[in-house]
Amino acid sequence: MKGMDHIRNFCIIAHIDHGKSTLADRLLEATGTLTDRQMQAQVLDNMDLEREKGITIKAHAIQMNYKFEGKEYTLNLIDTPGHVDFSYEVSRSIAACEGALLIVDAAQGIQAQTISNLYLALEHNLTIIPVLNKIDLPAAMPEEVTDQVVDLIGCNREEVIRASAKEGIGIEEILQAAVQRIPAPKGDPNAPLQAMIFDSVFNSFRGIEVYFRVFNGVIKKNDKVKFVNTGQEYNADEIGVLKLDKHAREEISTGNVGYLISGIKVAKEVKVGDTITHANRPGEAIKGFENVKPMVFAGIYPVETSEFEELRASMEKLQLNDAALVWEPETSAALGFGFRCGFLGMLHMEIVQERLEREFNMTVITTVPSVEFRALLTNGKVIEINAPSEMPDPTMMEMIEEPFIAAQIISKAEFIGPIITLCMDKRGVIKNQVYLTSDRVELTFDMPLSEIVFDFFDKLKTISKGYASLDYHLIGFRESDMVKLDVMLNGDKVDALSAIVHRNKSYEWGKKLCEKLKELIPRQMFEIAIQAAIGQKIISRETVSAMRKNVIAKCYGGDISRKRKLLEKQKKGKKRMRQIGTVEVPQEAFMAVLKIN
């Protein structure tokens, strides 16, 4: 075994689409970890969705060997997701490293995600190696962007490595910098075992593979290990290091990164950030562990009610792969049986929906996403509200609180006006405004999470021509005047269309929703009243008029009373029909709420 001073652990920090997966490809190529036959673009992003959307969804780890000045070094690269929904996973990946490559696109400059992940890395005292990527692009501005990087992390201009992952420029310099600048891991091989889980992958044959980094002690094959936070004990059936595929080893020593297979079947037992230690000689838990909290809740229902059990099986399989997905069964009068699911954010929700459709062939209806509210009842109890149907009667509530976030938006200076208007419209309060350069501004807002759940990000990108970048984190709950808006068709409430909205916006919301439903609900033989109500108070109404047969076609000329008699008869029939007829609500109508603005 090589000593700890020959190990380097590092991760890559970058905003979405600044080229970190491509750079990882080049590093693997340069160190000879891959043969030409295994090479494909974005080799670490092995999920179809990741490749299509060009994002990294799961963290990945891979080990490379690199010869430098006659010595051989082991480099462990831990690739992290870049999207704000997955920030907890990023923080654990960062905690498993001693250094980080900070990648900045030479054409786009520094963006919000880069900064927030950089602060995470600095909090963990990582050595930062700044890399300017995509210098081969005609739009690249290497000098200006180098200035931005120097301002941000306070390094010398010479320390910024210029590279182009696509053209393979600067790859050697990055590998040398990793060896020279990143410190070797510290730790005591004789201390009790302490290893942190930073990721897990589901393998359908062998159960869950746990990826971990050893901080102290040594883990050997067939050791009895214990996961501190879940209290579960397992037998280390196989341990090893991760090249592109798994290479079994007899032991993994302090400072190294590896995987563990012990036939774990349940994804919930493996929590990212948990500590692995020996069952007979336990060590301390590593700080910073937290359970992943869902931020956005939505109902997922099968289109055909008979497919409910199939959907349940699909959800269970999906959860093995994605432990952050939380769900429980619920029923709805309009949609039948389904599940209430908790997601990390809107991107996560979209990905889960896509994966259900692709990997399991399930077509599903998703209800309006909502966030978790807290209500203080008159009897002093505090309850959590994840869906409009759980909202208690207003007379029973003292007050209701909603989650607030601090949003950090970085944009070109010319778009400040529209961005501030958008945030104010979403009940945001501006907290700070800093010019990073003469042309780039960082705005900080406090905003309700429920307002950005819908289409905030899309709108932000639209008004800033795609330049603005957003990052946010939760800052706690605050009291708010929220009401439940019900939608009624012919006097019957349709629970799948109700929403929890702020009182000031409820009138506008109700009006738009009724108008949208009027377009989407097909005409029937009787008229349909579409109403939006808060409690007992109707705030908006639209009417879908009835289709009618021309009953007076056979009367030509003659007395008006004959015609009136026929029309009255028709009217009575319509009225009776309306009492017994049910309104068919098409699937598009449930999605209408999402497209309101």
Side-chain angles (χ1 to χ4, degrees):
M1 291 293 291
K2 286 179 297 210
M4 276 198 298
D5 48 347
H6 286 258
I7 298 176
R8 299 286 184 272
N9 297 319
F10 63 97
C11 57
I12 300 183
I13 297 175
H15 190 76
I16 302 164
D17 211 23
H18 281 202
K20 67 175 183 225
S21 294
T22 314
L23 185 84
D25 291 353
R26 292 294 91 78
L27 294 175
L28 296 177
E29 256 178 353
T31 53
T33 309
L34 292 182
T35 58
D36 290 342
R37 191 169 63 89
Q38 290 169 317
M39 193 60 220
Q40 55 167 340
Q42 283 93 33
V43 70
L44 292 180
D45 290 349
N46 48 17
M47 207 190 294
D48 286 348
L49 267 174
E50 292 186 310
R51 309 178 71 83
E52 258 168 57
K53 290 183 184 283
I55 54 177
T56 304
I57 296 171
K58 294 286 290 174
H60 299 272
I62 194 155
Q63 191 175 84
M64 305 175 278
N65 293 337
Y66 177 62
K67 277 200 170 60
F68 179 64
E69 294 177 349
K71 292 182 188 152
E72 188 162 290
Y73 290 89
T74 300
L75 306 180
N76 288 313
L77 162 64
I78 296 174
D79 185 20
T80 58
H83 199 277
V84 58
D85 283 5
F86 306 113
S87 55
Y88 173 67
E89 286 188 19
V90 177
S91 81
R92 295 301 83 197
S93 295
I94 285 176
C97 299
E98 275 81 33
L101 300 180
L102 173 72
I103 297 184
V104 180
D105 184 330
Q108 295 189 11
I110 287 169
Q111 292 186 294
Q113 223 92 63
T114 323
I115 294 187
S116 72
N117 287 352
L118 174 72
Y119 287 154
L120 267 180
L122 290 171
E123 274 170 34
H124 287 93
N125 299 325
L126 300 199
T127 307
I128 308 288
I129 300 176
V131 177
L132 212 55
N133 196 14
K134 305 196 186 183
I135 55 165
D136 58 313
L137 290 182
M141 310 173 291
E143 297 306 319
E144 291 95 318
V145 180
T146 304
D147 288 340
Q148 288 180 23
V149 173
V150 170
D151 285 348
L152 182 67
I153 59 178
C155 59
N156 301 326
R157 287 185 72 92
E158 299 72 59
E159 289 176 27
V160 182
I161 301 173
R162 296 194 175 183
S164 160
K166 196 163 127 214
E167 301 293 327
I169 305 167
I171 302 299
E172 272 300 310
E173 287 85 341
I174 292 175
L175 287 166
Q176 288 171 14
V179 170
Q180 290 168 325
R181 298 188 205 172
I182 296 175
K186 294 182 180 62
D188 177 3
N190 303 317
L193 174 68
Q194 244 189 335
M196 185 184 73
I197 301 174
F198 62 83
D199 194 21
S200 63
V201 185
F202 179 70
N203 176 333
S204 47
F205 301 107
R206 314 197 51 188
I208 304 220
E209 300 165 5
V210 180
Y211 295 173
F212 62 88
R213 143 85 203 258
V214 184
F215 284 99
N216 287 310
V218 175
I219 180 169
K220 293 191 169 78
K221 191 175 171 176
N222 294 328
D223 277 353
K224 191 106 168 100
V225 293
K226 178 180 172 186
F227 289 10
V228 177
N229 287 298
T230 55
Q232 301 276 6
E233 297 191 1
Y234 305 102
N235 199 27
D237 297 341
E238 182 185 315
I239 57 170
V241 295
L242 294 145
K243 299 279 171 88
L244 193 58
D245 22 7
K246 294 178 278 300
H247 291 261
R249 294 276 187 273
E250 285 304 308
E251 63 169 28
I252 292 181
S253 57
T254 307
N256 220 333
V257 173
Y259 70 90
L260 159 81
I261 296 180
S262 59
I264 304 170
K265 298 284 186 292
V266 187
K268 289 197 183 89
E269 292 178 17
V270 181
K271 295 188 154 72
V272 171
D274 201 348
T275 308
I276 303 176
T277 184
H278 281 129
N280 52 7
R281 189 183 167 207
E284 295 281 299
I286 294 163
K287 286 190 187 62
F289 171 78
E290 50 185 84
N291 280 318
V292 179
K293 280 198 183 64
M295 296 281 228
V296 174
F297 296 86
I300 287 187
Y301 291 85
V303 175
E304 295 294 326
T305 37
S306 57
E307 290 176 357
F308 173 71
E309 281 305 324
E310 227 172 298
L311 180 63
R312 178 195 286 270
S314 307
M315 297 285 266
E316 280 170 358
K317 284 182 193 153
L318 194 56
Q319 199 173 24
L320 291 171
N321 241 317
D322 183 349
L325 174 66
V326 185
W327 53 270
E328 56 190 42
E330 72 163 2
T331 52
S332 139
L335 297 171
F337 292 103
F339 298 97
R340 187 92 207 149
C341 307
F343 307 96
L344 298 175
M346 287 304 276
L347 177 82
H348 187 206
M349 173 172 148
E350 196 183 315
I351 284 164
V352 168
Q353 211 177 328
E354 280 268 313
R355 287 182 67 184
L356 280 173
E357 286 184 6
R358 281 194 188 180
E359 296 170 26
F360 305 102
N361 293 327
M362 298 294 309
T363 29
V364 292
I365 299 177
T366 317
T367 63
V368 192
S370 72
V371 298
E372 178 175 277
F373 297 97
R374 280 189 195 155
L376 175 68
L377 304 181
T378 41
N379 61 9
K381 269 172 67 178
V382 176
I383 58 167
E384 290 174 350
I385 303 169
N386 292 334
S389 54
E390 295 170 10
M391 185 109 156
D393 191 276
T395 51
M396 316 268 291
M397 281 192 304
E398 279 286 318
M399 62 167 197
I400 186 165
E401 294 181 329
E402 65 172 334
F404 267 70
I405 55 160
Q408 187 186 23
I409 297 171
I410 295 182
S411 165
K412 285 197 160 183
E414 61 194 90
F415 304 120
I416 287 189
I419 288 176
I420 292 180
T421 315
L422 172 70
C423 294
M424 297 290 189
D425 184 41
K426 299 277 186 191
R427 300 191 284 132
V429 179
I430 188 160
K431 286 293 183 198
N432 200 355
Q433 179 176 347
V434 187
Y435 277 81
L436 301 172
T437 65
S438 59
D439 192 33
R440 290 174 76 78
V441 189
E442 179 184 17
L443 301 164
T444 316
F445 290 90
D446 282 3
M447 306 173 63
L449 180 64
S450 56
E451 293 285 342
I452 72 157
V453 159
F454 276 113
D455 53 357
F456 178 74
F457 191 61
D458 295 348
K459 282 192 170 163
L460 180 68
K461 283 290 188 199
T462 312
I463 58 179
S464 65
K465 301 189 178 148
Y467 277 109
S469 57
L470 165 78
D471 188 70
Y472 61 86
H473 58 268
L474 208 60
I475 49 176
F477 283 77
R478 298 183 185 174
E479 188 176 346
S480 246
D481 189 9
M482 306 304 286
V483 292
K484 180 180 171 190
L485 184 72
D486 283 312
V487 172
M488 306 199 298
L489 298 180
N490 280 349
D492 297 332
K493 286 186 183 174
V494 182
D495 56 355
L497 290 171
S498 24
I500 299 177
V501 287
H502 195 266
R503 194 179 293 275
N504 297 350
K505 293 197 161 187
S506 57
Y507 284 88
E508 180 194 3
W509 184 268
K511 187 169 179 294
K512 283 185 176 162
L513 190 53
C514 289
E515 284 166 4
K516 196 81 189 162
L517 287 171
K518 185 182 177 182
E519 292 167 22
L520 292 169
I521 291 179
R523 285 174 63 182
Q524 300 183 11
M525 294 307 291
F526 49 92
E527 70 172 39
I528 304 168
I530 303 171
Q531 294 166 310
I534 295 173
Q536 298 303 313
K537 188 177 174 192
I538 306 287
I539 56 171
S540 170
R541 167 172 173 148
E542 292 285 332
T543 309
V544 179
S545 53
M547 293 190 277
R548 49 172 281 197
K549 183 176 156 195
N550 189 359
V551 286
I552 50 177
K554 60 184 178 186
C555 308
Y556 47 95
D559 191 34
I560 184 77
S561 58
R562 287 179 60 201
K563 294 182 185 172
R564 188 161 294 146
K565 184 176 151 198
L566 289 166
L567 287 171
E568 288 295 327
K569 189 175 165 193
Q570 183 186 28
K571 204 168 170 184
K572 273 185 192 148
K574 293 265 181 236
K575 196 170 174 185
R576 194 158 63 245
M577 234 162 128
R578 179 174 162 180
Q579 283 162 358
I580 56 171
T582 52
V583 184
E584 284 286 308
V585 184
Q587 190 185 340
E588 293 81 61
F590 293 111
M591 304 310 288
V593 196
L594 299 174
K595 304 188 180 71
I596 262 190
N597 301 340

